[in-house]
Amino acid sequence: MDNIKSYVKENKDRFVTELIDLLKIPSISADKNYKNDVIKTADAVKTSLEKAGCDNVEICETPGYPVVYGEKIIDKSLPTVLVYGHYDVQPADPIELWTSPPFEPVIKKTEIHPEGAIFARGACDDKGQMFMHVKAFEYMIANNNLPCNVKFMIEGEEEIGSPSLEWFVKRNHEKLANDIILISDTGMISNTQPSITTGLRGLSYVEVEVTGPNRDLHSGLYGGAVANPINILAKMIASLHDENNHITIPQFYDKVLELTNEERAEMAKAPFSLDDYKKALDMEDVYGEKGYTTNERNSIRPTLDVNGIWGGYTGEGAKTVIASKAFAKISMRLVPNQTPKEITELFQKHFENIAPKAVKVKVTPHHGGHAYVTPIDNIAYKAANKAYTQTFGVPAIPQRSGGSIPIVALFENELKSKSILMGFGLDSDAIHSPNEHYGIFNYLKGIETIPLFYKYYVAMTK
Ligand code: BES
Ligand code: MN
Ligand code: MN
């Protein structure tokens, strides 16, 4: 049996069971309580690579969670594909909104996934997508048709901004040397219209703290006479966008790479229904920067969003209090030429500037990352497109995504190699949200498509 389609058919139940086992381990990198589970997941990934036929599989220690590495070098004169993915997942909360427990995977049918989808945290982002590569590799080894060298690098800190990855990549240039980096950690348009992600946004993530009085106060005795840090934080945040939903931070847009009208027209050709978009999110209308379409707003334009805001009394009932402090976590998605360092500095300066004297503000930068765009006139893109065309029956469409994978720009700087983003997830798969899921169709299609990428990529390099 040397045909990938029949191999998938024959083994699909086992492929699903193995993924489910991996999903049962709660590898939440953001929460120290799950430290042992994160490490256990690294071990499970290691074992799966060994079983699939990888050589020199190792758990590479870093200052944070380990990187799992494995390789199959068949001939040094052939090209080398480096597969990158992550085995860590986002926290599951708010847990009460899950219809089944996040780490007890179940298969349920949905309108978009009539063949069933696996519901679990990390099902799509990124255990399911990463594991497709392990299974595709297993197929190529089992059938003796791996056409080039492969290296796997699966990390455990992606969801917290890959804090150890620069350290690791800088020390392992030779080990990670490759001709192309292959990543499935993005999405596609739909199950009938595949797409290849040609852009990712960068990120600057900050936390702000606003302090009013030095202690919580009775809101009757002091209310009206002192700065309420929550009121003030809300006002400051509201002022960060103007009436056109333009960000008001001075110089924020100075370096933004504007697209030409031709490029925008090309983008607008991708199938998209605003009605379906609104319906899927149960919203009367969309909202965003004036002068740009929904797809432009969420991909080629920079943004500023509050991700969390807290302070004061949020328990049951009412408590009359003026809090001493208010907090918010804010992300800014960046586009090419904006650097996270510059944007973080601009934010900090502006936020301090707009604070009234009656409060103190503190801005703490978290992680950041650079945006990334790939050309479509290279052989990796062409090979990927050929692979999708064969398995989906229609060519893929290039699509810029709004998400961020900061490591991609780092790879380009450090290893001088390009990444090809072959994602199989859907926007409706609810990554980072309650009830994350991954279609069985998508999982198996991914396993089917990946070996074809290898085949066409290697053929095109000859
Ligand atoms: N896989 C996502 C990024 C993604 C998803 C890109 C869908 C494009 C389409 C990744 O795991 C992620 O969540 N990245 C974070 C950034 C990171 C620094 C925490 C993000 O985009 O918020
Ligand atoms: Mn991911
Ligand atoms: Mn993620």
Side-chain angles (χ1 to χ4, degrees):
M1 185 173 54
D2 60 355
N3 175 285
I4 178 67
K5 246 191 155 91
S6 41
Y7 189 81
V8 169
K9 214 170 173 185
E10 192 102 320
N11 293 282
K12 66 177 190 218
D13 291 342
R14 178 174 59 84
F15 289 171
V16 170
T17 315
E18 287 177 358
L19 174 57
I20 284 179
D21 284 342
L22 196 62
L23 290 167
K24 285 181 183 164
I25 323 174
S27 49
I28 305 170
S29 49
D31 187 339
K32 287 188 187 65
N33 291 320
Y34 293 90
K35 189 173 175 205
N36 291 338
D37 292 303
V38 181
I39 291 166
K40 207 170 131 189
T41 309
D43 285 328
V45 172
K46 175 176 183 259
T47 307
S48 72
L49 285 173
E50 283 166 347
K51 274 198 187 151
C54 251
D55 298 330
N56 304 321
V57 186
E58 46 175 325
I59 301 272
C60 306
E61 296 302 334
T62 74
Y65 286 122
V67 171
V68 186
Y69 178 85
E71 61 182 25
K72 189 82 196 176
I73 309 296
I74 56 169
D75 178 347
K76 288 223 157 85
S77 67
L78 286 169
T80 299
V81 174
L82 174 67
V83 175
Y84 164 84
H86 61 95
Y87 64 82
D88 64 322
V89 302
Q90 283 277 322
D93 55 276
I95 209 125
E96 66 279 7
L97 295 183
W98 285 76
T99 54
S100 55
F103 298 104
E104 292 170 29
V106 286
I107 297 170
K108 286 183 262 192
K109 291 192 166 123
T110 72
E111 206 175 308
I112 289 176
H113 297 293
E115 294 161 54
I118 308 175
F119 280 72
R121 171 57 86 229
C124 174
D125 184 12
D126 178 45
K127 283 176 175 166
Q129 297 212 65
M130 173 273 287
F131 208 61
M132 299 180 315
H133 288 272
V134 182
K135 295 298 108 182
F137 173 75
E138 174 198 300
Y139 157 76
M140 292 186 284
I141 293 292
N143 291 279
N144 211 13
N145 63 6
L146 177 69
C148 61
N149 307 310
V150 190
K151 295 174 175 177
F152 283 89
M153 173 193 175
I154 314 297
E155 73 149 317
E157 297 189 314
E158 198 278 340
E159 297 293 7
I160 51 170
S162 306
S164 309
L165 225 55
E166 185 165 357
W167 181 97
F168 182 76
V169 173
K170 281 201 154 103
R171 279 164 184 75
N172 289 286
H173 275 198
E174 203 166 316
K175 182 183 216 137
L176 302 174
N178 66 79
D179 296 282
I180 187 73
I181 299 169
L182 176 58
I183 305 177
S184 295
D185 193 21
T186 53
M188 57 178 188
I189 292 176
S190 75
N191 282 356
T192 51
Q193 181 53 70
S195 53
I196 298 171
T197 302
T198 51
L200 295 163
R201 285 194 286 195
L203 182 65
S204 157
Y205 200 109
V206 297
E207 184 164 334
V208 300
E209 178 189 297
V210 176
T211 308
N214 62 358
R215 60 185 170 87
D216 287 9
L217 302 173
H218 189 288
S219 66
L221 292 181
Y222 289 92
V226 298
N228 178 329
I230 304 177
N231 290 6
I232 287 175
L233 175 59
K235 218 175 188 173
M236 288 170 74
I237 286 172
S239 79
L240 296 175
H241 291 93
D242 69 13
E243 66 283 5
N244 294 323
N245 280 313
H246 230 66
I247 295 157
T248 56
I249 299 169
Q251 299 171 299
F252 185 88
Y253 291 97
D254 279 9
K255 298 205 172 152
V256 166
L257 188 70
E258 302 280 347
L259 265 64
T260 63
N261 285 340
E262 288 77 48
E263 286 171 310
R264 291 178 70 182
E266 198 53 44
M267 256 188 85
K269 285 187 192 157
F272 176 74
S273 154
L274 193 57
D275 276 337
D276 290 349
Y277 188 83
K278 289 191 275 195
K279 216 185 269 161
L281 302 174
D282 193 18
M283 301 184 312
E284 282 284 311
D285 205 357
V286 290
Y287 191 85
E289 189 183 0
K290 195 175 170 191
Y292 295 92
T293 65
T294 293
N295 272 336
E296 290 173 337
R297 287 169 178 169
N298 67 26
S299 65
I300 60 162
R301 297 298 296 165
T303 60
L304 182 152
D305 277 294
V306 177
N307 292 236
I309 182 163
W310 70 102
Y313 184 69
T314 56
E316 209 182 310
K319 179 188 179 195
T320 49
V321 66
I322 292 174
S324 165
K325 287 179 190 292
F327 306 85
K329 291 185 193 276
I330 297 173
S331 68
M332 288 164 279
R333 295 284 167 172
L334 314 180
V335 297
N337 297 351
Q338 286 184 302
T339 71
K341 187 169 175 286
E342 268 175 356
I343 293 296
T344 302
E345 283 167 6
L346 290 176
F347 176 91
Q348 179 151 12
K349 210 164 104 193
H350 179 66
F351 209 70
E352 286 165 0
N353 267 341
I354 60 173
K357 254 213 197 83
V359 297
K360 296 182 195 72
V361 307
K362 194 166 106 192
V363 177
T364 311
H366 284 289
H367 47 65
H370 288 82
Y372 182 76
V373 275
T374 49
I376 63 169
D377 58 358
N378 57 42
I379 58 169
Y381 186 91
K382 287 180 186 151
N385 195 14
K386 215 168 156 186
Y388 279 106
T389 308
Q390 186 166 332
T391 50
F392 285 83
V394 285
I397 291 179
Q399 196 192 35
R400 281 179 62 169
S401 168
S404 309
I405 311 177
I407 180 70
V408 173
L410 180 80
F411 278 147
E412 177 155 48
N413 272 334
E414 288 292 326
L415 304 175
K416 311 289 170 224
S417 29
K418 298 266 178 215
S419 295
I420 177 89
L421 301 162
M422 294 179 69
F424 293 88
L426 301 179
D427 283 355
S428 55
D429 288 344
I431 63 170
H432 294 207
S433 301
N435 306 311
E436 174 177 355
H437 54 280
Y438 191 40
I440 305 273
F441 169 88
N442 304 67
Y443 179 52
L444 300 177
K445 258 303 191 244
I447 299 172
E448 208 182 299
T449 309
I450 290 163
L452 294 170
F453 168 78
Y454 281 77
K455 177 177 153 189
Y456 295 129
Y457 176 73
V458 175
M460 287 179 196
T461 56
K462 281 187 180 140

